[in-house]
Amino acid sequence: MRAAAPEVTEVAPGVHRLALPLGIHGVPTVSAYLLHDDDGDVLVDCGVAAGGAGSGVDDPCGALTVALRAAGSALDRVRRLVVTHAHIDHFGLAGEVVRRSGGELWMHEATQLDIEKYGDPAEAVDRRELMLADHGLFGPELTASSRGLQDWMPVMPSVGWPDRLLVGGERCVAGGREWQVVPTPGHSPGHVCLWSPQDRILCSGDHLLQVVSPPVTFERGFERDPMGSYLESLERVAELEPEVVLPGHGPPFRDGARRARRIASGKRRRLDQVRELVDCRERTAVEITAVFFRGELTGAQRHFAVAEVLADLAWFEARGSMTRTRRPDGVFVWRTADQEVAP
């Protein structure tokens, strides 16, 4: 696809934001960050396959190449690509970037769960379809909500496999400062942020966004309690008190601690609402989702909505305050731990 020239801005000394074209799920851009260094640059996230003005429509790295040039760099100057998490919008070009640049790919060890989906997307779709059916979704809505991954595989020319698996605490020097890897699971099991304590800058990926509350989705076989992980990660980042946040979507914003605590407050408020609904009577995840999302939803939107409700329910299950049982039709129903099971 051909896109307008990406917007490139210097957001801190030695750091450029690359607003790369996206167009997935109605989101216009994804923000990658270039950290300049004399020994070779560090790129944080990389976007998806998209042609760039003057770069040739068939070049999947076209838009990224144009953006790097505008920032005073090039693919062959990228010595390291750090991917905050392995969702396609942040990870789609990783394989191409490391192949063309010869640089290293750094990702958290828990991203292997996401990367394996791209190696066998049909199996991943089947697993998601079974999960959603188990919780009450059927028919065309089930099909549309399960197959989003396959719809967007064309923007990933190849699958990037990390050279270095991160656990947290690793450091690298770029952009005139030292950056530390901070694990922030929740939005994705292997999500990381990059933190510069020198001037309190946080590359937040999708952990902190300014306008929306990042979705926390439950995916079968991944993490037992992703909402619990996310709330803990938000507090971890709030305690750092970031002065400037460089998010994965949208422009930089200030006061990261305040934003982290506001997002956490919203997630806890939704947990209370879910508890109130299940206190009234046993319900399926799809029934709960319908209470909160009443309008028409695309397949992708419905998947995110149901999967976040499942993350809420898993939070209660992990703490022993809710249980689930199968109805005769095979669908799980949820009840609070002190509710009696109907005969």
Side-chain angles (χ1 to χ4, degrees):
M1 68 183 80
R2 185 179 294 276
E7 178 185 346
V8 176
T9 53
E10 188 172 22
V11 293
V15 180
H16 276 85
R17 172 185 175 236
L18 318 179
L20 301 171
L22 183 59
I24 296 177
H25 306 323
V27 181
T29 63
V30 60
S31 295
Y33 294 91
L34 185 69
L35 316 179
H36 294 273
D37 196 75
D38 292 340
D39 294 330
D41 297 335
V42 174
L43 182 63
V44 181
D45 291 340
C46 56
V48 300
S55 67
V57 69
D58 295 327
D59 181 4
C61 290
L64 177 61
T65 299
V66 170
L68 289 172
R69 185 184 307 128
S73 187
L75 272 173
D76 60 10
R77 277 197 51 80
V78 176
R79 64 180 167 91
R80 183 173 299 135
L81 169 62
V82 181
V83 173
T84 58
H85 61 297
H87 291 173
I88 281 183
D89 51 338
H90 299 260
F91 173 66
L93 277 181
E96 287 296 295
V97 169
V98 296
R99 181 178 69 83
R100 297 191 192 191
S101 68
E104 291 184 326
L105 176 56
W106 284 21
M107 301 177 72
H108 193 274
E109 60 183 6
T111 56
Q112 296 290 89
L113 295 168
D114 269 312
I115 297 173
E116 288 169 3
K117 292 190 308 187
Y118 307 130
D120 190 351
E123 191 277 335
V125 167
D126 287 346
R127 185 173 66 244
R128 181 175 292 176
E129 193 168 41
L130 286 170
M131 181 189 77
L132 294 173
D134 276 348
H135 289 279
L137 203 58
F138 301 106
E141 289 186 346
L142 172 61
T143 301
S145 302
S146 304
R147 301 188 179 277
L149 178 65
Q150 286 184 326
D151 292 342
W152 291 108
M153 286 301 293
V155 300
M156 176 182 284
S158 61
V159 179
W161 297 95
D163 300 288
R164 181 170 181 182
L165 295 176
L166 308 172
V167 296
E170 294 85 357
R171 301 167 188 265
C172 67
V173 176
R177 51 184 66 80
E178 182 180 78
W179 299 87
Q180 301 173 1
V181 175
V182 180
T184 48
H187 177 71
S188 165
H191 197 292
V192 299
C193 297
L194 283 189
W195 166 242
S196 168
Q198 173 184 327
D199 41 13
R200 316 197 75 77
I201 297 176
L202 184 79
C203 284
S204 72
D206 281 354
H207 182 64
L208 293 186
L209 300 175
Q210 185 176 27
V211 177
V212 299
S213 176
V216 178
T217 57
F218 184 91
E219 191 145 6
R220 180 169 288 170
F222 278 36
E223 189 178 3
R224 180 172 180 246
D225 181 20
M227 185 61 71
S229 294
Y230 187 52
L231 292 171
E232 290 175 6
S233 298
L234 286 171
E235 185 56 33
R236 183 178 306 127
V237 164
E239 289 172 356
L240 295 176
E241 298 187 347
E243 180 66 25
V244 177
V245 177
L246 308 181
H249 301 278
F253 60 93
R254 307 189 78 82
D255 198 351
R258 180 180 181 185
R259 181 59 184 153
R261 289 183 172 126
R262 178 166 291 185
I263 293 171
S265 176
K267 298 296 188 188
R268 292 189 183 280
R269 184 164 56 250
R270 177 57 58 86
L271 284 169
D272 289 342
Q273 293 168 337
V274 169
R275 176 62 189 250
E276 289 173 4
L277 287 172
V278 180
D279 271 340
C280 293
R281 63 173 175 84
E282 65 180 32
R283 299 176 192 260
T284 68
V286 167
E287 289 170 345
I288 296 169
T289 303
V291 173
F292 297 124
F293 301 91
R294 297 181 181 275
E296 288 293 320
L297 300 177
T298 66
Q301 289 169 336
R302 189 179 299 107
H303 164 249
F304 281 124
V306 175
E308 177 138 0
V309 167
L310 286 173
D312 291 332
L313 293 167
W315 188 91
F316 289 107
E317 186 177 44
R319 287 152 185 80
S321 54
M322 280 192 193
T323 59
R324 57 189 168 122
T325 57
R326 283 190 188 269
R327 297 189 313 210
D329 63 0
V331 174
F332 282 115
V333 291
W334 294 81
R335 60 176 58 87
T336 52
D338 53 356
Q339 285 175 323
E340 293 186 3
V341 179

